[in-house]
Amino acid sequence: VQLQASGGGLVQPGSSLRLSCAASGFTLDDYSIGWFRQAPGKEREGVSCISGRDGSTVYGNSMKGRFTITGDNAKSTVYLQMNSLKPEDTAVYYCAATMGPFCNLMVAGRTRIDYWGQGTQVTVSS
C-alpha cells in the first residue's frame, strides 16, 4: 500500500499548482482521501478531502474558493488544484487515506489516518 504525492514546486504569488496523489495497493472507492499541509513551526492543517465513494468534497476554511480536489478512481489518483496561491500556502503537502466516509473528520484532524504519503514541498514566493 502506497500513496505517492507529487507536483509541488516554487511558484510566485497568484500562480497555480496541481498536486497529485497516486494510490497503489488499494482502491479509492472505500476511502476518504485527503490533503494536509504543515508549514515550519506550525501545526498540521487539513486542506481538503474527497470521498472515493461518492466524490463529495470538504475544504478547510482558508482554501475554499481557491483549491479544488478531484479524484479519478480508475487511475487511483486524487488531484489538488491550487489557484491564487499565497505565501502563506507555503508548506509541505501530504496526502492521506482513511477507510470510510470521514472527510469532515479528516479535514478537522479528528480521525485516524490509515495511510500517509510522503510530502511534496510547495513554496510560494516572489
Side-chain angles (χ1 to χ4, degrees), residues 83-97:
N83 298 329
S84 302
L85 284 163
K86 306 174 182 180
E88 50 265 42
D89 293 318
T90 295
V92 178
Y93 284 70
Y94 301 89
C95 61

Side-chain angles (χ1 to χ4, degrees), residues 32-125:
S32 299
I33 309 297
W35 288 94
F36 295 82
R37 68 185 185 186
Q38 188 162 22
K42 294 188 177 181
E43 292 188 354
R44 188 173 62 208
E45 177 184 21
V47 174
S48 184
C49 178
I50 186 167
S51 167
R53 178 172 300 176
D54 61 12
S56 58
T57 59
V58 176
Y59 295 92
N61 287 335
S62 62
M63 299 81 181
K64 290 179 181 177
R66 298 190 301 124
F67 292 7
T68 303
I69 189 169
T70 56
D72 186 336
N73 284 19
K75 295 182 178 180
S76 294
T77 302
V78 169
Y79 305 97
L80 183 69
Q81 178 68 42
M82 305 186 295
N83 298 329
S84 302
L85 284 163
K86 306 174 182 180
E88 50 265 42
D89 293 318
T90 295
V92 178
Y93 284 70
Y94 301 89
C95 61
T98 292
M99 180 176 279
F102 299 124
C103 268
N104 282 300
L105 293 174
M106 199 174 188
V107 172
R110 296 177 181 175
T111 187
R112 78 179 190 283
I113 300 297
D114 292 323
Y115 307 116
W116 283 100
Q118 92 294 356
T120 184
Q121 176 71 47
V122 173
T123 303
V124 185
S125 176

